Amino acid sequence: MSTRDSWRNSWGSGYGGGGLSFGGTSAWGAGGGDTVFRVLSRTSERQSKRRSGIISGFSEDGLYEEDDLSVYSERDVHLPPISKAEDWALMPDVKNYAERGEKDHLKSRKLGVTWKNLTVKGIGSDAAFNENVSSQFNVPRNIKEGRQPPPLNTIIDDTHGCVKPGEMLLVLGRPGSGCTTLLKMLANRRNGYAEVNGDIHFGSMTAKEAEQYRGQIVMNTEEELFFPTLTVGQTIDFATRMNVPYHKFSDQHSDKEYQQEYRDFLLKSMGITHTSGTKVGNEYVRGVSGGERKRVSIIETLASRGSVFCWDNSTRGLDASTALQYTKAIRAMTDVVGLSTVVSLYQAGNGIYDLFDKVLVLDEGKEIYYGPREQARPFMEELGFVCGDGANVADFLTGVTVPTERSVRPGFEASFPRTAVEIRDDYSRSDINAIMGKQYAYPQTDEAKENTKEFKEAIAYDKDKSLPKQSPLTVSFPKQVKACVVRQYQIVWGDKPTFIIKQVATLVQALVVGSLFYNASTDSSGLFSKSGALFFSLLYQALMALSEVTDSFAGRPVLAKHKAFAFFHPAAFCIAQIAADIPVLLFQVSHFSLVLYFMVSLRLSVSAFFIYWVTLLATAMCMAAVMRAIGAVFSTFDGATKLSGFWFSALITYIGYFIPKNRMHPWFVWIYWIDPLAYGFEILLANEVHGQTIPCVNSNLIPNGPGYTDLAFQSCAGVAGAVQGATTVTGDQYLQAFSYQHSHLWRNFGIIWAWWAFFVVVTIVATSNWKEMAGKSGFLVIPRENAKKTQPLLQNDEESQAKEKPASRGQPAPLDSSSSSMDEKTIENQLISNTSVFTWKNLTYTVKTPSGDRVLLDNVQGWVKPGMLGALMGSSGAGKTTLLDVLAQRKTEGSITGSVLVDGRPLSVAFQRSAGYCEQLDIHEPLATVREALEFSALLRQGRSVPKEEKIKYVDTIVNLLEMQDIEHTLVGRTGAGLSVEQRKRLTIGVELVAKPSILIFLDEPTSGLDGQAAFNTLRFLRKLAAVGQAVLVTIHQPSALLFKEFDTLLLLARGGKTVYFGDIGVEASTLKDYFARNGAPCPHGVNPAEHMIDVVSGSASQGKDWNQVWLESPEHKEVSNEVDRINKEAAGKPPGTVDDGHEFAMPLWQQTKLVTHRMNVALYRNTDYINNKFALHIGSALFNGFTFWKIGSSVQELQLKLFTIFNFIFVAPGVINQLQPLFIDRRDIYEFREKKSKMYSWIAFVTGLIVSEFPYLCICAVLYFAPWYYTVGFTTDSNKSGATFFVMLFYEFIYTGIGQFIAAYAPNAVFASLVNPALITVLVSFCGVLVPYSQIQEFWRYWIYWLNPFNYLVSSILTFTVFDNIVQCDDHEFALFNTPNNQTCGEYLAPYKAGLGARTNLVNPEATSGCMVCQYRYGSDYLSTLNINDYYVGWRDAGIVVIFAISSYVMVFLLMKLRTKATKTAS
């Protein structure tokens, strides 16, 4: 099928005949064949009018009229073609589509957006406090601050504008000036803002009326939110399926044909057809490159077939050539289809800028210019600002209020406007404002009303007839469900490792537990084992469901995005999740059941097995629904994990296994009634014992042993439901004792499904109400303890408006345009200079892939000399970052050949810390302040001979140099709450600079994500470094001509890491231009040479040449090879420029450990969410445990309750571990990605710091659990016993923290860790002697895993201290009741028994001759002997072993961290 055909189906049937639009006037007629004639005639008519100086203005009603306006005279110079994107490769396809829509007489979907007096306010000031663990309890201050209403921050202040169908508006502004918020308003997304005032009209509809058309008014945000395990093809396939119109073109036959052609066109439009089978990926899952992922996000937005498009910084991460192609694509579609397009960009080259019709400039939320693009530059120049030759006009427009960026024309020094308010005042008095103001009446015009009417008809015509009238969706609900189900299976299949880990873990658990309860007998001794096996069957399904909470948050941003695009109803997504659960759970439950059921020897009948299997399946489905509902209801992960952890333990405790229903306290018995697991447990137990007769044996039969064989004179003891005097118990009596009935079996089965349905409905309702991220503008975060140091930041917005600006109009501006407070000379004197030369030759880097070896760098060579600023460029995926990683010795995989030398010598052991490397991702400890981060780096990376005072003084120098004085005491934070992108980038550079790198500095994409000014500042600053003798090598994506000028040399790479050019750039890039011109690719006049180079290497200007071959055959290549050899030879003959001190790390290990531990301590002290969660979990669990087992008495059954309340204490661990591991892994990522590679400190210091920083909080946690629980349960108040119990509990805190940390130390990510936790904890819990007493554990396990299990020693030591001395008093029904033969007294009859097997029983009426009453135990110690605790000293022995386990669990953290730490690769 031709590309031309494929576009037939793209924007769907709705845009028919929309056509090219100049200010809303359609150029495509509504009729048939003579379209092209009419377009051309109208164009020539316009051109003749332009030649005579008449151009379109606006009439009173906002429509264009002919008017003689000098304001627009600039437009006459270059007469435009029909579209500014006429040369875009797929333009013919777009036009072809329009003709087909016209042929079918389809209505247009043109809308337009108009707004006036728009003001938006968000909650939050410029800065907020971060409380710490102690400051949060300052109640008086909290009350005082709580009474004040939250401050409102004006994000957008009185803006106005109009974008008609067929127009493109460029929104410019620096980060934080409100561009994103304006785009959100124009996309009708108002969630999370405190106040929105003013009018916005879409066509002639108000914002309220337009809500039901949210799928046609769409926004592409800056974040790339995808399911990382889906491929690009699957992602776009899903998006296009959700937008297949009900009525297609007349020559189309099926939905599939439409959807596939549309999908293929979209992939082709952004040039990523080749990635169709590659995973989208994210920072953890390998997938397409960053630039390609951005393009996937663009295509997905286009798939919505909208009418109004808002694009928020959509070229971030794209190289210059791709960014231009993207803008041309949007221009072409806007022109032909009549879209209204609003785009905000941070770095817009002139090629991109020239494609727009209008420009709107925001500064601090104020609109300082809105009007025709051609008039923006002249307007600012008339005010006195100068735009340099070749400068980016977009950067010039946003820089006019920034003292360090703007340059003022001579003669205007006193009169130019200094602030956004002053420029806005000038603009509001201008002719442009008056003319543009006439457009704001557009919504009231006949054209807008007619367009809107046609738009509504077209949407109704597109929509499936089964959908409600008000629905914003396009395809029918069954089709939505089908597409979501397919996608859900693709997600599961794409993430095969997780699926396999789950299934293997399930099988292993079934085998382990099956062997634990192996071949349980059918008499009374097997009852407890079988109950345990049934309980465990349910427990495991519930444990596996816990991961649903994490999954819920992983997929949420994608779902919110798709909801905004009106792809599907959230119910379709929820149903799809269930549909995807069914086969997975069928498989999981089946192999689990088959193994466990028959190993334990549960009831051998087909019906019994089927009931067991189907109950587990229903319970697994229900628990997945419960956890999903919790995930859906909460807006934060912390809140959801708190509830899910607590709710999990409540459901397990009240299942009816630990505490029989009839012994539950009335205040908590309601949990039993709402617990799906309890209904499941009743089914499983009834299914197992109903209709059976169970003989009492061993210790359950009194008396027993030699000489006692007559059942008439024996009785059951300690078996629930047994009638006193009987020696057997029926299954139904046993059930009755627990208030269970076999007749409830199918009733309960129905109740489980009813709960499942209830939680599914809760999930659907909660999911339907999910909001996108709130519109809170970025703000700085100040640690409460630094409040006094940062007073100026806390002034409210009004006072801090004049950030620069001492001089107002009428006074001369300060001559020094730098805001740096220090004299530049002083700074330069303090900066370290460098004399070493760095070279690399024939560098090749190969990695192994499933399809064989892949070369990422191919014989690259070059050098960096002191005082030189080198640029490393290439298209997306050319290997720029790979080369930096290899040069900086940051790679741990693959093989490297070639030479990398400093001063002609191999790299020293100290190289990694002597070279600075600023990675692309700004990875920092979020809870450190800027100054702390800089001091940490300086103290650890400057040599050990440098005094501490001098290191701190150097930090001051760098703070001044980077102009960070105003933010040095604020937290780094995370995006949105903390430093902005640009401030983060400066910090990344600062952290490397304070280390005084003595060899060179590498920077990977230092300008990515910054606006033009910030990018220029960054480069200006690097130039400063080079000027004092530093050697600097930078990779860069989209340099403007102005930025490109700053570099001395260029290394240009093509895909596959092949060199295309290395050498000087020359004045105004003359050397570089000359090289390419000689080889047949001259740089056109006025084109940015940097953009031209990328285009030559990878874009439309490549002319099919192999530019790597051209380079290899050029004289320049030969010169470079000779020069590298010459440099190395010369440098090797001189003494080295930098002397190696022979140490791998700058500081000794003890100093490293002190500094790292201090940083970790401070970070945890400020991490109130984490610490409060820990505290809340302990207090909540302790109170729940305490009140569940309130004041336990001293009967036989209550001894077991004491065992269970202690056992319950173990379960504080899973909740805390789940919360602790992501924090550990975050810290580990910071260490591995940056600090380890720069040899800042050793892994030993890292692990020590992480472990030690937890200690104080674990001690508090032990107190918080002990106090509410120990006394509530009614244990002894003897301080010897209670103190010993507390001692053991304290060390258990250390044990489970160590276990959680050692799993996290080796786990590749948090999800993997969360799958390993239940497996490990279940094994430890199963073999600790509680679920199965020591004597009944299978011999294979009994002799090793029981003794290696820390939980065994924990439970036995606490049991010893709390139960050993208790006097047991049987309840009446607990006595064994029997008569004696031959009128013997009870004492005489039982004398041999009491001397042997019954030594620990208590005969209460030895003189009686009938109705002997025997209690199973006399003291707690008798009960403990059945649990393998035979003496009091065992308590202290086990307490000592608990301490050893605490230490060894921490040793494991060190061990596994060491195993994970890989050495970096060097060139061989």
Side-chain angles (χ1 to χ4, degrees), residues 1360-1372:
T1360 307
F1361 298 137
T1362 53
V1363 174
F1364 197 87
D1365 296 340
N1366 292 4
I1367 295 169
V1368 179
Q1369 293 173 329
C1370 272
D1371 287 348
D1372 289 345

Side-chain angles (χ1 to χ4, degrees), residues 207-219:
K208 189 84 188 140
E209 292 168 326
E211 277 173 11
Q212 77 172 85
Y213 298 104
R214 68 166 185 259
Q216 270 59 49
I217 302 165
V218 291
M219 175 169 176

Side-chain angles (χ1 to χ4, degrees), residues 76 79 94 138 173 188 289 350 358 367 411 513 583 646 741 747 847 867 883 994 1005 1043 1050 1178 1227 1307 1362 1420:
D76 302 2
L79 297 171
V94 184
N138 185 335
N188 215 10
S289 73
N350 288 338
K358 297 176 178 173
E367 186 172 297
V513 175
F646 187 72
Q741 288 177 32
R747 178 204 75 172
V847 290
L883 177 59
V994 292
E1005 297 289 359
L1043 292 188
L1050 168 70
H1178 278 80
R1227 296 276 156 76
T1362 53

